[in-house]
């Protein structure tokens, strides 16, 4: 994309085009004229801006004015691993390859803006949209999202990084006001946006539904005018979330450029007729509209949508091509996290003639078509059962039994929840109690059958977890327990099959306390896209050595998470982020909370030994260089995590006054990471850039299994 001088020129050209437009034409360009597009100006060859969700692939087509799926076969598309899965790879190359697939497919489907990635911080494990987000850590989020955006934008399609900002819960998401001190806002919740908009050069950004400091984010002076434009000098296009605008004057005077919504009264949107009237009456100056239109025209020029050579210069993209499926597979492989592997139960031996039983609905279930606006019409989706059968072939008997029954409804054809998404504050928490009681008897029977059958099999693999009835837009979980009485089922199965492998699929962590001590081998997979089942089978049978690491803490219970323990979650009218900067592992490491599996955890089928970690700092930045040997018997990748750690800071007691947290620093923070691939016996060197300023207070470097720590002085 253009450098600063190039952009200034482009803006001049956009300005001279904008002066040729009538007020009505300009108004048409700054609000939704259909559910996913604005109005073009035909007489000047200005096309509408066409948008689409979302992070896991280009969404199905809807009729322009109704939430009715167009149907037909042309909008099946590549279903990519969700952003949490991508984050679990900790692999920048895969982030950019996955982004590139999304960009190519968006262009291939004729889109101008793809409404992705979602980069909100995972403040609580209960947020229903966590599967669309990367991590609880701002640095990891920013690093991967920047690569993802650069991948998208190679294709003359704009990324739209969302939701700006502090959109960390679904409950009452249209109205909740976030109460947070500015220091925590800037240290935890804004850095990934800053990185995506400045270094990543995301051409657009979507405002959030919620409120911050008394203003709705989509029309916020503080966020959009002061921070985004003035402080960060951001010149891209700001799009509202669908229905996120609430006032004509505030929206017009803010730096929002395009108002979108879910209703079909397009002409009545705040930035449609009401704004035209206000300009005509003189209560809002027309120059405010001109600025918005100029930015939209400049974006169109950057995407080669206008400017005379659009037919020859603009990339055409492609969708459903084999290479895209290959990328989906490669990302899925690296996203799977081996949580536990006692007695080397895994990998299973694919050569040994055996019969295998898969228990659990997720062995068969497709996840692509749920979750809210991230839903996909996947070209195909390989389930775990299919993936295992495909890998083992016809000589091994692979059977399936349901084991538990979910209450998740398959989405009805042609009906979409989004039409009503502005009702009841936009979202709520879930009532688990009601659900489980009604099905208790049926579930007990399913359990009994599965346990009886399992006894007859040499190998039993449990495949359960969550689905998009739980990981969903507009809905927060009420706790982290496994739904559908899966705890009872897993426990009963482990009684008869103590070597059973447990595979959990989901978009956010679940409680495992009821059975984790008894389960020797546990694999975690986020929603891993169309090839998720293939990748899972490859990991189970050792064709792929797992290298995924958790991009978030897996708590024993949500109650241990600082958002719940210290702050509030989920708030209704207001939600107070009293925990400040102590989000996720920053809190756990400082105050001694022991999670089930910590941030960064993930095992391999081989072992690595770290040697000679050296810290070097120069004008250009600081680096850690480390020598690593694969001491095991399998080739594999090791993720090297570098943390900045405060010297001699033992675990601290929680201060009596929560406000004291404001004066404290976390004992450990992620400062760098990189992945190295090594064959058995091979030794390699990795150089990792360390985030932040060159540190003069570094006292030393320590390495342990899995991570390197740069030890700094308490005062630094
Ligand atoms: C979501 C956005 C999405 C938009 C358009 C809203 O409900 O919050 O993330 O891009 O709908 O579908």
């Amino acid at each position: 994309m253009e450098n600063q001088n190039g952009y200034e020129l482009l803006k001049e050209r956009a300005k001279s085009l904008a002066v040729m437009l009538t007020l009505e034409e300009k108004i048409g360009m700054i609000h939704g004229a259909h559910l996913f597009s604005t109005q073009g100006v035909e007489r000047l060859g200005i096309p509408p801006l066409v948008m689409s969700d979302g992070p896991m692939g280009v969404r199905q087509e809807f009729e322009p004015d109704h939430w009715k799926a167009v149907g037909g076969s042309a909008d099946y598309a590549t279903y990519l691993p969700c952003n949490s899965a991508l984050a679990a790879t900790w692999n920048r190359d895969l982030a950019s390859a996955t982004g590139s697939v999304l960009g190519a497919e968006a262009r291939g489907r004729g889109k101008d803006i793809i409404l992705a990635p979602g980069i909100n911080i995972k403040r609580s494990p209960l947020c229903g949209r966590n599967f669309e987000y990367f991590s609880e850590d701002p640095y990891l989020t920013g690093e991967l999202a920047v690569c993802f955006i650069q991948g998208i934008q190679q294709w003359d399609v704009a990324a739209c990084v969302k939701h700006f900002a502090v959109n960390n819960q679904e409950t009452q998401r249209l109205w909740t006001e976030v109460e947070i001190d500015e220091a925590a806002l800037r240290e935890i919740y804004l850095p990934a946006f800053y990185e995506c908009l400045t270094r990543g050069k995301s051409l657009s950004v979507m405002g959030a539904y919620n409120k911050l400091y008394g203003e709705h984010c989509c029309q916020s002076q503080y966020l959009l005018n002061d921070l985004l434009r003035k402080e960060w000098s951001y010149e891209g296009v700001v799009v509202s979330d669908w229905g996120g605008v609430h006032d004509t004057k505030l929206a017009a005077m803010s730096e929002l450029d395009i108002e979108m919504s879910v209703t079909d009264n397009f002409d009545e949107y705040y930035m449609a007729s009401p704004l035209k009237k206000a300009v005509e009456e003189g209560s809002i100056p027309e120059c405010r509209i001109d600025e918005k239109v100029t930015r939209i025209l400049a974006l169109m020029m950057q995407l080669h949508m206008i400017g005379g050579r659009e037919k020859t210069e603009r990339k055409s993209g492609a969708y459903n091509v084999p290479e895209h499926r290959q990328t989906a597979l490669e990302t899925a492989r690296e996203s799977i996290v081996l949580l536990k592997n006692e007695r080397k139960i895994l990998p299973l031996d694919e050569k040994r003639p055996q019969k295998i039983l898969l228990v659990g609905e997720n062995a068969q279930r497709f996840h692509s078509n749920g979750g809210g606006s991230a839903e996909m019409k996947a070209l195909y989706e390989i389930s775990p059962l299919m993936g295992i059968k495909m890998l083992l072939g016809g000589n091994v008997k692979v059977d399936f039994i349901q084991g538990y029954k979910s209450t998740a409804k398959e989405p009805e054809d042609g009906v979409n929840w989004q039409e009503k998404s502005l009702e009841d504050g936009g979202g709520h928490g879930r009532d688990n109690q009601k659900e489980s009681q009604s099905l208790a008897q049926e579930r007990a029977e399913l359990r009994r059958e599965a346990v009886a059958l399992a006894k007859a099999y040499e190998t039993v693999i449990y495949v359960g977890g969550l689905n998009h009835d739980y990981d969903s837009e507009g809905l927060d979980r009420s706790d982290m327990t496994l739904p559908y009485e899966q705890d009872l089922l897993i426990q009963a199965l482990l009684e008869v099959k103590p070597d059973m492998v447990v595979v959990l699929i989901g978009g956010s962590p679940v409680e495992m306390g009821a059975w984790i001590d008894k389960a020797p081998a546990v694999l975690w997979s986020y929603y891993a896209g169309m090839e998720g089942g293939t990748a899972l089978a490859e990991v189970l049978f050792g064709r792929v050595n797992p290298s995924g690491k958790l991009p978030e803490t897996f708590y024993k219970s949500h109650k241990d998470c600082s958002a719940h323990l210290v702050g509030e979650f989920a708030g209704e009218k207001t939600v107070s982020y009293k925990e400040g900067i102590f989000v996720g592992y920053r809190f756990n490491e400082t105050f001694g909370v022991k999670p089930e599996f910590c941030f960064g955890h993930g095992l391999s089928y081989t072992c690595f030994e770290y040697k000679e970690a050296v810290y070097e700092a120069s004008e250009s930045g600081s680096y850690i260089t480390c020598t690593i040997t694969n001491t095991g018997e399998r080739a594999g990748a090791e993720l090297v995590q570098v943390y900045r750690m405060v010297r001699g800071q033992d675990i601290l007691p929680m201060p009596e006054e929560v406000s004291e947290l404001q004066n404290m620093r976390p004992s450990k923070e992620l400062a760098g990471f990189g992945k190295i691939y090594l064959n058995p016996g091979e030794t390699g060197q990795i150089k990792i850039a360390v985030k932040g300023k060159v540190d003069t207070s570094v006292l030393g470097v320590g390495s342990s299994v899995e991570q390197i720590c740069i030890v700094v002085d308490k005062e630094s």
Side-chain angles (χ1 to χ4, degrees):
M1 301 283 160
E2 282 71 20
N3 58 23
Q4 195 51 35
N5 283 344
Y7 187 77
E8 287 308 316
L9 278 175
L10 207 99
K11 222 163 78 183
E12 285 313 310
R13 281 172 54 210
K15 265 189 199 156
S16 42
L17 187 53
V19 292
M20 295 161 73
L21 298 169
T22 65
L23 177 61
E24 188 163 351
E25 286 169 339
K26 288 186 281 193
I27 293 282
M29 291 176 64
I30 62 169
H31 71 87
H34 300 295
L35 294 173
F36 282 101
S37 68
T38 58
Q39 193 74 58
V41 183
E42 223 181 314
R43 70 178 180 95
L44 293 172
I46 301 171
L49 256 183
V50 181
M51 312 177 204
S52 174
D53 286 299
M56 306 198 293
V58 187
R59 196 178 178 188
Q60 72 202 88
E61 302 294 339
F62 290 95
E63 287 188 0
D65 306 345
H66 306 282
W67 287 103
K68 185 169 183 309
V70 165
S73 62
D75 59 353
Y76 286 94
T78 300
Y79 167 39
L80 293 162
C82 67
N83 284 340
S84 307
L86 194 53
T89 72
W90 294 61
N91 185 328
R92 295 174 180 89
D93 294 338
L94 286 177
S96 89
T98 305
S100 173
V101 170
L102 188 59
E105 298 236 336
R107 194 70 280 282
R109 292 262 304 273
K111 311 298 177 195
D112 305 312
I113 299 184
I114 183 81
L115 306 170
I119 64 160
N120 294 102
I121 292 294
K122 298 187 188 207
R123 175 176 174 252
S124 152
L126 303 187
C127 170
R129 283 188 96 168
N130 274 354
F131 71 99
E132 289 188 65
Y133 305 144
F134 286 79
S135 172
E136 67 190 26
D137 183 80
Y139 178 65
L140 177 59
T141 303
E143 284 296 296
L144 297 179
V146 162
C147 297
F148 190 77
I149 288 164
Q150 289 167 342
I152 291 175
Q153 295 191 161
Q154 292 164 33
W155 290 97
D156 289 342
V157 170
C160 186
V161 57
K162 64 193 190 183
H163 310 87
F164 188 60
V166 278
N167 190 173
N168 311 103
Q169 68 172 53
E170 292 300 290
T171 306
Q172 288 291 313
R173 64 178 173 159
L174 293 177
W175 297 99
T176 308
E177 170 149 5
V178 172
E179 292 172 350
I180 182 172
D181 73 68
E182 204 179 339
L185 179 72
R186 284 176 179 271
E187 187 167 334
I188 302 292
Y189 298 94
L190 295 182
F193 281 102
Y194 178 75
E195 288 296 307
C196 288
L197 298 177
T198 55
R199 192 157 58 90
K201 298 195 175 0
S202 180
L203 292 169
S204 69
V205 54
M206 186 189 294
Y209 278 131
N210 50 279
K211 293 165 89 178
L212 174 69
Y213 304 149
E215 302 176 301
H216 273 284
C217 294
C218 290
Q219 52 192 42
S220 157
Q221 285 283 323
Y222 170 76
L223 277 177
L224 305 184
N225 298 34
D226 300 345
L227 211 87
L228 206 67
R229 299 286 190 219
K230 289 203 190 103
E231 206 179 305
W232 297 358
S233 306
Y234 181 65
E235 307 220 55
V237 167
V238 183
V239 184
S240 78
D241 202 341
W242 271 230
V245 172
H246 299 267
D247 183 276
T248 296
K249 182 144 198 186
L250 293 178
M253 298 311 285
S254 80
E255 291 289 319
L256 175 75
D257 297 312
I258 302 176
E259 178 194 0
M260 298 300 291
S261 191
V262 296
T263 51
D264 61 5
N265 55 339
F266 306 105
D267 205 33
E268 290 159 35
Y269 284 11
Y270 293 96
M271 295 220 304
S273 290
L275 178 55
K276 182 164 171 267
K277 195 158 162 261
V279 172
E280 282 162 351
E281 286 168 3
S283 58
I284 293 173
E286 191 164 347
C287 62
R288 293 303 297 164
I289 321 297
D290 294 339
E291 285 163 17
K292 300 179 196 302
V293 168
T294 303
R295 277 191 292 267
I296 295 167
L297 289 170
L299 171 78
M300 288 182 166
M301 287 172 184
Q302 284 173 297
L303 298 178
H304 302 115
M305 291 172 69
I306 51 174
R309 288 200 293 255
E310 53 279 7
K311 291 276 175 317
T312 51
E313 282 192 355
R314 192 168 195 200
K315 293 190 180 137
S316 56
Y319 69 110
N320 291 332
V321 292
E323 303 84 74
H324 292 180
R325 307 197 270 280
Q326 183 60 25
T327 302
L329 175 59
E330 282 162 20
T331 302
R333 284 176 177 147
E334 284 200 29
S335 74
I336 294 169
V337 186
L338 178 59
L339 294 176
K340 194 174 169 190
N341 195 18
E342 277 173 3
R343 291 181 267 126
K344 294 204 175 152
I345 295 268
L346 286 174
L348 301 170
D349 185 356
E350 66 179 82
K351 300 268 162 22
R352 222 170 77 203
Q354 53 191 344
K355 56 180 204 164
I356 298 179
L357 179 67
L358 261 63
V359 187
E361 199 183 82
N362 268 349
Q364 287 266 44
R365 196 183 168 87
F366 294 147
H367 299 284
S368 47
N369 57 0
S373 58
E375 69 190 354
M376 275 293 304
K377 194 167 155 185
L379 181 63
Y380 63 79
E381 183 175 347
I382 309 285
S383 68
L385 178 62
M386 198 196 291
I388 290 171
K389 282 186 166 238
M390 281 161 58
L391 185 140
L392 292 174
N395 294 339
V396 181
K397 194 166 147 45
V398 183
D399 292 326
F400 166 77
I401 186 161
Q402 196 180 357
Y404 68 88
K405 187 176 176 204
S406 72
T407 42
K409 283 193 240 95
E410 295 296 329
E412 290 167 53
D413 220 15
V415 179
N416 193 283
W417 59 276
Q418 211 153 359
E419 197 173 341
K420 299 200 168 75
S421 62
L422 300 184
E423 292 170 12
D424 303 331
H428 52 91
R430 109 184 331 273
D431 184 357
N432 276 349
Q433 213 63 29
K434 227 163 79 193
E435 269 196 355
S436 40
Q437 274 166 11
S438 61
L439 284 163
Q441 247 191 342
E442 204 180 335
R443 287 190 178 130
E445 184 55 24
L446 285 172
R447 229 168 15 244
R448 203 193 49 71
E449 277 170 21
V451 173
L453 190 65
K455 289 183 190 154
Y457 285 77
E458 189 185 350
T459 304
V460 179
I461 305 174
Y462 180 81
V463 189
L466 301 172
N467 56 45
H468 284 302
D469 198 28
Y470 280 78
D471 289 308
S472 173
E473 185 170 339
L475 191 67
D476 292 317
R477 288 188 296 166
S478 53
D479 57 42
M480 276 172 51
T481 51
L482 271 171
Y484 322 128
E485 298 175 22
Q486 290 180 74
D487 279 342
L488 294 178
L489 175 60
I490 299 173
Q491 287 176 86
L493 286 165
L494 283 168
E495 289 283 314
V496 297
K497 285 279 141 196
D499 284 353
M500 180 176 79
V501 175
V502 176
V503 175
L504 296 175
I505 297 173
S508 29
V510 293
E511 276 181 29
M512 303 181 202
W515 46 265
I516 192 71
D517 290 343
K518 301 233 170 69
V522 185
L523 275 173
W524 173 263
S525 170
Y526 287 105
Y527 302 115
M530 66 204 300
E531 290 286 352
T534 316
L536 181 67
E538 290 175 340
V539 169
L540 280 166
F541 291 93
R543 289 199 194 174
V544 165
N545 189 351
S547 64
K549 306 267 174 178
L550 295 178
E552 63 188 300
T553 305
F554 273 38
Y555 297 94
K556 290 191 158 100
S557 148
H558 72 277
K559 293 182 190 138
D560 295 338
C561 163
S562 60
H564 300 265
L565 202 64
V566 183
E568 295 170 357
F569 188 96
E572 294 275 332
K573 276 203 179 104
T574 58
V575 52
S576 176
Y577 289 28
K578 287 188 209 132
E579 72 282 5
I581 59 172
F582 289 93
V583 173
Y585 72 88
R586 284 171 166 74
F587 183 80
N588 309 335
E589 296 281 343
T590 312
F591 300 109
V593 173
K594 290 253 175 297
E596 200 66 80
F597 296 106
C598 54
F599 175 85
H601 172 74
L603 306 173
S604 166
Y605 295 151
T606 188
C607 309
F608 298 96
E609 211 175 273
Y610 287 45
K611 265 185 251 138
E612 296 160 26
V614 179
Y615 176 81
E616 47 171 328
S618 69
E619 278 310 298
S620 63
S622 41
Y623 301 90
I624 285 280
T625 313
C626 179
T627 306
I628 297 173
T629 306
N630 179 345
T631 55
E633 276 146 30
R634 281 169 188 269
E638 170 69 341
L639 170 79
V640 181
Q641 303 167 44
V642 179
Y643 291 86
R644 189 173 268 116
M645 209 171 162
V646 179
R647 176 178 64 161
Q649 178 158 315
D650 294 330
I651 288 169
L652 302 173
M654 247 307 277
E656 270 171 33
E657 293 295 321
V658 169
S659 60
E660 281 178 42
L661 284 176
Q662 279 182 12
N663 308 319
M664 298 173 74
R665 294 295 311 161
S667 58
K668 211 171 144 186
E669 284 171 285
L670 184 69
F673 62 91
K675 244 182 179 180
I676 180 166
Y677 295 79
L678 294 169
N679 286 317
E682 193 186 355
T683 297
Q685 217 183 41
I686 184 168
K687 188 170 178 183
I688 297 172
V690 176
K691 138 190 183 235
K693 60 178 172 35
V694 173
D695 217 324
T696 47
S697 63
V698 170
L699 298 171
V701 176
S703 59
S704 62
V705 191
E706 283 194 339
Q707 51 187 245
I708 295 174
C709 289
I710 303 173
V711 185
V712 296
D713 209 352
K714 207 168 203 148
E715 302 311 315
S716 73

